[in-house]
Amino acid sequence: MTTQPSVLRADARRNRERILEAAVRAFSEKGADVAIDAIAKAAGVGSATLYRHFPTREALVEAAYRNELARVCDSAPELLADNPPDRALRLWMDRFIDYLAAKHGMADALRAAVASGADPFAETLDKLTAAIGSLLHAGTEAGLLRPDVDPLDVGFSLAGISLITSAPAQRERAGRLLDLLLDGLRYGTDR
């Protein structure tokens, strides 16, 4: 069981965030078998600090995955506050593609966590649907996006784009495909 971030002291919360960032990088770059001590070192904490927050490798993998998902999903309101809804959606799509690239890099670590009984994906669909839905709703209310689009359809479209453009050299192509998707979401509006 991991410690909940809401009850952590400020220094413990910073340590937890550094550990999670280092874990995503390490699992993405080196795979599931990266040494936990190497993650602690990259985060600038001792192994005991890491294990205090995440007693098992699976707990660390699950928390790293969920943290990245939360960052992407939680960015929707901020993007909407600072941009027109269609622009906010496009910026969010970029973040989501980057998140999927990190998740792709973590695939082996996630498979190992699932094999051990963890379920890092338990809340994924609900969180993504809510984030995409809020962006689509704002765009519809502003008359910038079509009203007949299911958030899941957008999520699956983004996953498809990610599958065919997962290599870093394909990131430019991913951007063009995201632009096409957004154009399709605008189709039929007056703008």
Side-chain angles (χ1 to χ4, degrees), residues 68-178:
E68 289 301 297
L69 175 67
R71 281 185 183 185
V72 171
C73 291
D74 293 348
S75 71
E78 171 191 320
L79 291 169
L80 283 169
D82 295 339
N83 299 281
D86 57 340
R87 177 74 181 139
L89 176 60
R90 180 60 178 81
L91 291 169
W92 189 89
M93 286 187 211
D94 277 325
R95 290 181 184 192
F96 185 70
I97 291 295
D98 292 340
Y99 152 79
L100 287 176
K103 180 181 146 197
H104 180 73
M106 290 181 62
D108 290 339
L110 286 165
R111 275 191 286 279
V114 169
S116 75
D119 187 4
F121 309 113
E123 301 167 7
T124 300
L125 195 56
D126 290 340
K127 286 185 180 207
L128 288 173
T129 301
I132 295 169
S134 69
L135 291 158
L136 290 173
H137 178 73
T140 298
E141 289 293 307
L144 299 171
L145 299 174
R146 327 166 28 154
D148 62 340
V149 178
D150 183 330
L152 279 177
D153 291 343
V154 174
F156 289 134
S157 297
L158 292 171
I161 290 170
S162 175
L163 278 174
I164 60 172
T165 61
S166 61
Q170 292 290 320
R171 189 60 180 91
E172 186 178 325
R173 180 178 305 278
R176 291 192 308 268
L177 292 171
L178 293 175

Side-chain angles (χ1 to χ4, degrees), residues 16-57:
R16 183 179 191 282
E17 287 301 313
R18 286 198 317 260
I19 292 166
L20 291 173
E21 288 171 12
V24 168
R25 270 192 318 274
F27 290 131
S28 296
E29 294 170 4
K30 298 178 179 145
D33 296 327
V34 67
I36 295 296
D37 290 341
I39 294 172
K41 184 176 180 181
V45 301
S47 295
T49 299
L50 187 147
Y51 282 111
R52 209 172 13 260
H53 288 281
F54 309 103
T56 65
R57 174 182 295 276

Side-chain angles (χ1 to χ4, degrees), residues 8-17 53:
L8 294 176
R9 295 182 331 254
D11 60 330
R13 194 170 29 256
R14 281 190 301 272
N15 285 343
R16 183 179 191 282
E17 287 301 313
H53 288 281

